[in-house]
Amino acid sequence: MKSLYAFTLLTCSAFLGHSQYDASYLEFNNLRATISNNGVFFNNAGIFSPGYEIPKGSENHAIYAMGFWFGGDDINGQLKLSAQTYTEGGDQFPGALTAGGTATAPVPAQTDGIYAINKSDIDYHIANVGEVGYVTPSSIIDWPAHGDVAEGIDFNLAPFIDVDGDGIYDPEAGDYPKIKGDQALYMIMNDKADLHETGADAIGLEIHYLFYQYATDDYLNNTTFVNMRVINRSTQTLYDFKAACFVDSDLGDGSDDYVGVKSDKNVMFAYNGTNYDNDYGENPPAVGVVLLNRDIDVFTSYNSGGGVMGDPVTPAHYYHYMNGRWQDGQHFTEGGTGYGGVSETNFIYD
């Protein structure tokens, strides 16, 4: 499996066990994306299989797994990190945190699910709310707009259109979820509800994900969007905070994949080593991950196995990769293997 990672700098100034996670599918256009609230996206972690099928129904997949990494130093220079790779519930868990950055026991049920909704349901709601006989769809009623303040959860969670302007989500008064796309899945996760598989100290992040798709007759029909809102619920300020997108591409048969980056277009990509793939056949596709509102600061892939260019083992290894350095702290370099050269670079395979 080939893995590719793009990193971008963001300016941000009792344990719970999770044995059960929810999973859903986003399949409104030409692809079928598996979305789970276990931190491992585009993957069926329970059976270790890829979950980004394109075209849908073909049983061919372009991505094996995707996750997000976050890290920074506290005021004492101690690294705080949350880095999700392949293990469900590795560093990230379902549900909201309290305003003080702790997980409640159990996580309130109104915040730990996957909330699916179609734009057509919202449009119908807008046109018919208040009419005799109209029944509001459960997808609109169950929208996690508010947290339980009695449990210390923030009152304002998932975004919504407040038709009457009273600040309270009330679908019967005409309010409705604020989404993007023709179909969307919303979930709230955190990095504080259990011990981290990476061994890192938790940050106290609450992460709101909106996955969505458009059904069109152009390239958007082959696209899944991810909108991510990251909230620091802890009492600590993090310095040099970074967020990273981790992707294991596995384009069909992943044994002959290559990866690269075009930094001026903010896109990292994977492509087949030849014009034939054992799964896709002749003229296999490529797959790209584009950052739409941030510049890519760092891009690399690392080798499966050990060594300073291998799988990260310690929290420092993850953070080194996020900062353009190999596990021993040496900066990426141009040419050769990317290690030990003269000219430093932030972009491996530019």
Side-chain angles (χ1 to χ4, degrees):
M1 293 179 287
K2 287 287 186 180
S3 305
L4 58 156
Y5 318 90
F7 308 116
T8 181
L9 177 66
L10 300 180
T11 53
C12 305
S13 97
F15 293 115
L16 309 177
H18 292 282
S19 59
Q20 185 68 41
Y21 296 95
D22 292 333
S24 187
Y25 298 102
L26 198 57
E27 49 184 348
F28 202 77
N29 55 21
N30 192 39
L31 61 90
R32 189 174 198 243
T34 304
I35 310 294
S36 303
N37 61 352
N38 59 12
V40 187
F41 307 126
F42 305 156
N43 177 270
N44 189 331
I47 58 175
F48 303 101
S49 66
Y52 198 78
E53 183 186 38
I54 182 168
K56 64 184 177 185
S58 68
E59 298 186 1
N60 291 327
H61 297 80
I63 296 175
Y64 181 83
M66 182 182 77
F68 291 94
W69 300 359
F70 309 95
D73 293 331
D74 66 14
I75 195 170
N76 298 313
Q78 298 298 309
L79 176 63
K80 309 293 183 180
L81 182 113
S82 174
Q84 191 75 34
T85 53
Y86 301 105
T87 304
E88 57 181 8
D91 277 20
Q92 294 166 24
F93 318 95
L97 295 178
T98 67
T102 60
T104 60
V107 172
Q110 79 270 26
T111 73
D112 68 355
I114 300 176
Y115 304 90
I117 192 162
N118 289 344
K119 183 177 181 295
S120 59
D121 290 338
I122 294 175
D123 291 341
Y124 189 79
H125 176 74
I126 293 171
N128 293 279
V129 66
E131 296 292 330
V132 176
Y134 172 70
V135 177
T136 304
S138 59
S139 60
I140 293 178
I141 293 175
D142 296 338
W143 188 247
H146 299 306
D148 187 349
V149 294
E151 295 286 346
I153 308 298
D154 192 74
F155 183 67
N156 294 308
L157 294 176
F160 65 94
I161 300 300
D162 188 9
V163 174
D164 57 7
D166 65 354
I168 299 173
Y169 183 65
D170 183 4
E172 302 305 321
D175 298 346
Y176 55 91
K178 183 179 180 180
I179 67 166
K180 299 178 180 182
D182 293 320
Q183 185 182 71
L185 298 176
Y186 194 91
M187 71 182 75
I188 301 171
M189 299 190 66
N190 73 83
D191 84 319
K192 201 70 180 290
D194 211 332
L195 295 174
H196 284 198
E197 182 189 37
T198 60
D201 291 336
I203 299 173
L205 294 182
E206 184 177 292
I207 311 152
H208 293 226
Y209 293 103
L210 179 72
F211 291 84
Y212 59 100
Q213 294 175 345
Y214 293 96
T216 68
D217 57 3
D218 59 10
Y219 66 93
L220 293 182
N221 205 47
N222 296 321
T223 303
T224 299
F225 291 85
V226 186
N227 182 270
M228 184 172 64
R229 184 162 62 105
V230 183
I231 304 167
N232 184 0
R233 295 288 192 203
S234 76
T235 57
Q236 61 189 346
T237 298
L238 291 187
Y239 300 88
D240 296 323
F241 181 79
K242 286 189 169 61
C245 179
F246 161 89
V247 179
D248 184 338
S249 54
D250 264 23
L251 191 62
D253 177 3
S255 63
D256 60 351
D257 289 355
Y258 290 85
V259 300
V261 61
K262 188 165 177 55
S263 58
D264 62 334
K265 297 296 185 182
N266 288 319
V267 59
M268 56 179 180
F269 53 87
Y271 59 101
N272 213 62
T274 68
N275 282 332
Y276 180 84
D277 178 79
N278 288 335
D279 291 341
Y280 274 107
E282 296 287 347
N283 301 314
V287 62
V289 178
V290 183
L291 275 67
L292 293 177
N293 65 339
R294 301 277 182 177
D295 290 338
I296 294 177
D297 289 330
V298 173
F299 172 85
T300 191
S301 68
Y302 56 69
N303 304 320
S304 296
V308 297
M309 302 170 69
D311 295 308
V313 177
T314 70
H317 292 167
Y318 288 89
Y319 197 58
H320 278 325
Y321 281 136
M322 297 167 75
N323 284 277
R325 298 179 182 275
W326 299 112
Q327 292 182 17
D328 60 358
Q330 294 294 312
H331 207 287
F332 303 158
T333 55
E334 291 278 3
T337 64
Y339 181 89
V342 175
S343 178
E344 294 184 352
T345 182
N346 281 345
F347 302 101
I348 297 295
Y349 307 128
D350 196 0

